């Protein structure tokens, strides 16, 4: 079976980079314009033909599954008030995905979070989308997870997304040691999690989009804690790449690390500019009100 129909979205992290906001609100529920971060992530998966979403959650994260559930009172009220457009949007969101929620009972790392999805995924290939990275596809081609999915379906080999980062950035990411590109993607020799710049095999960083065959679970089951004492997904990808082909592909989507304060604000501005309701006014504000002050170094 080589069609990729399931996706694991790890969303169990504590969101410490966003405290105090994330004391009570899961970081995946922080808003980008008018929808939570997780909405954009699930939407990317669904657009790529994924049918089942396995959400890996921790304590205090039930707002995420509630977001994809029915809210009877709200839908009833919107219907009675004639707010059909909003009602339709809510119905569409709850119908967009079959969400299966799994608890990660201990914060043992990303690799462990993915392993928590094994019972639901079974012996099928699956995608992994990190729950705080947003990929927006503006061009008329497959989105990032869709591209990885089609390479997997052609090659039957695990395939991950990569992007080139500055040398000073490599220690923030998993890094791929790649061979020469052929057919539009690289064969990967190995991976290393958050290397020091001088020890990094390349500048090809992992932005949090992966498609795996079920054999990654064998590696995860035998994984030992790595960087930060956590079970790292990257380490298991490294052992897999030593045994069987693993590919890495670039992507054409705009990517925002919405789990980071600056990335989050950039996502709000850029998606705000594209928004039919506020885009034009936001552009006017940025250009006419804010820019002149920024250029002159004066305050508003
Ligand atoms: C995780 C992964 C890392 C990847 C990154 C993308 O790290 O472990 O390999 O490059 O996500 O954002 P984290 O950002 O959770 O520290």
């Amino acid at each position: 079976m080589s069609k990729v129909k399931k996706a694991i979205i790890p969303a169990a992290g504590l969101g410490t980079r966003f405290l105090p906001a994330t004391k009570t609100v899961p970081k995946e529920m922080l808003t980008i314009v008018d929808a939570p971060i997780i909405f954009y992530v699930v939407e990317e998966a669904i657009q790529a033909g994924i049918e089942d979403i396995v959400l890996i959650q921790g304590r205090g994260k039930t707002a995420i599954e509630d977001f994809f559930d029915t809210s009877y009172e709200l839908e009833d009220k919107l219907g009675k008030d004639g707010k059909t457009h909003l009602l339709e949007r809510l119905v569409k969101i709850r119908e967009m995905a079959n969400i299966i929620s799994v608890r990660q009972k201990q914060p043992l790392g990303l690799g462990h979070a993915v392993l928590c999805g094994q019972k639901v995924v079974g012996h099928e290939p699956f995608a992994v989308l990190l729950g705080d990275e947003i990929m927006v596809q503006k061009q008329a081609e497959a989105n990032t997870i869709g591209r990885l999915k089609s390479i997997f379906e052609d090659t039957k080999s695990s395939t991950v997304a990569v992007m080139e980062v500055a040398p000073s950035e490599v220690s923030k990411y998993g890094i791929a040691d790649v061979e020469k590109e052929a057919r539009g993607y690289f064969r990967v020799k190995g991976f290393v999690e958050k290397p020091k710049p001088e020890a990094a095999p390349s500048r090809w960083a992992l932005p949090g989009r992966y498609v795996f065959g079920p054999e990654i679970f064998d590696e995860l089951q035998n994984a030992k804690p790595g960087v930060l004492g956590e079970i790292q997904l990257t380490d298991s990808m490294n052992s897999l790449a030593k045994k069987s082909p693993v590919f890495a592909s670039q992507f054409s989507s705009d990517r925002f690390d919405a789990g980071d304060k600056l990335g989050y604000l950039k996502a709000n501005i850029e998606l705000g500019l594209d928004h039919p309701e506020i885009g034009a006014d936001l552009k006017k504000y940025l250009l006419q009100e804010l820019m002149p002050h920024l250029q002159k170094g004066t305050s508003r």
Side-chain angles (χ1 to χ4, degrees):
M1 187 185 297
S2 63
K3 285 267 170 216
V4 185
K5 300 227 170 93
K6 292 179 178 162
I8 293 181
I9 302 187
L14 295 174
T16 38
R17 283 192 283 174
F18 262 109
L19 281 169
T22 45
K23 187 177 170 194
T24 47
V25 179
K27 85 174 157 186
E28 295 79 8
M29 289 303 292
L30 297 177
T31 311
I32 306 288
V33 189
D34 60 4
I37 295 171
I38 192 80
F39 166 78
Y40 297 91
V41 180
V42 171
E43 190 180 45
E44 180 190 341
I46 300 300
Q47 281 170 354
I50 299 289
E51 293 168 6
D52 296 319
I53 304 283
V54 186
L55 262 183
I56 311 295
Q57 307 195 116
R59 279 172 66 77
K61 294 267 188 155
T62 47
I64 304 178
E65 48 186 285
D66 288 347
F67 176 75
F68 292 99
D69 198 356
T70 312
S71 169
Y72 289 106
E73 304 87 324
L74 189 58
E75 289 185 17
D76 183 57
K77 176 100 174 70
L78 290 173
K80 283 183 181 146
D81 292 352
K83 297 190 170 156
T84 359
H85 176 65
L86 267 178
L87 176 60
E88 278 167 12
R89 196 155 174 224
L90 293 196
V91 172
K92 210 168 145 200
I93 289 170
R94 72 166 153 79
E95 285 179 347
M96 76 195 264
N98 179 31
I99 305 274
I100 302 149
S101 163
V102 174
R103 279 279 178 123
Q104 183 187 20
K105 295 179 186 161
Q106 286 172 288
L108 298 180
L110 180 60
H112 177 256
V114 171
L115 188 57
C116 290
Q118 182 179 19
K119 281 227 165 82
V120 182
V121 168
H123 294 288
E124 288 179 36
F126 62 101
V128 174
L129 296 91
L130 298 193
D132 54 8
E133 304 265 347
I134 294 183
M135 297 272 184
V136 182
Q137 182 56 282
K138 290 187 184 163
Q139 301 175 31
E141 51 191 75
N143 66 23
T144 305
I145 212 68
R147 172 158 174 79
L148 304 183
K149 197 170 158 278
S150 65
I151 298 174
F152 179 92
E153 288 168 359
D154 283 351
T155 62
K156 317 278 177 281
S157 299
S158 295
T159 304
V160 303
V162 285
M163 59 183 184
E164 208 163 13
V165 297
S168 57
E169 297 268 284
V170 292
S171 55
K172 284 169 49 181
Y173 295 99
I175 299 291
D177 185 3
V178 298
E179 279 177 357
K180 224 168 131 276
E181 190 178 359
R183 288 176 294 172
Y185 44 88
F186 303 102
R187 168 100 188 239
V188 184
K189 288 187 272 181
F191 295 93
V192 48
E193 178 68 5
K194 301 194 173 74
K196 294 211 168 72
E198 58 278 14
S202 78
R203 293 195 281 123
W204 291 108
L206 303 168
R209 294 294 184 271
Y210 319 78
V211 170
F212 294 116
E215 56 281 357
I216 190 73
F217 288 129
D218 300 334
E219 306 304 329
L220 286 167
Q221 265 163 352
N222 296 316
K224 304 261 174 319
V227 175
L228 303 173
E230 295 181 354
I231 309 272
Q232 296 290 350
L233 178 60
T234 309
D235 293 344
S236 292
M237 288 160 53
N238 185 48
S239 357
L240 184 65
K242 307 288 178 212
K243 295 178 187 162
S244 41
V246 173
F247 296 111
S249 170
Q250 294 180 74
F251 52 93
S252 55
S253 312
D254 294 342
R255 168 196 176 255
F256 302 98
D257 178 3
D260 165 82
K261 286 192 255 296
L262 184 60
Y264 175 77
L265 290 176
K266 285 182 186 172
N268 263 300
I269 293 171
E270 292 204 27
L271 298 187
L273 285 168
D274 289 340
H275 196 278
E277 217 175 283
I278 59 160
D281 286 344
L282 178 60
K283 186 174 175 187
K284 203 166 135 201
Y285 161 74
L286 292 172
L287 286 176
Q288 295 175 12
E289 292 183 46
L290 199 56
M291 279 290 281
H293 287 287
L294 292 177
Q295 276 160 349
K296 280 189 265 166
T298 52
S299 60
R300 295 186 70 243

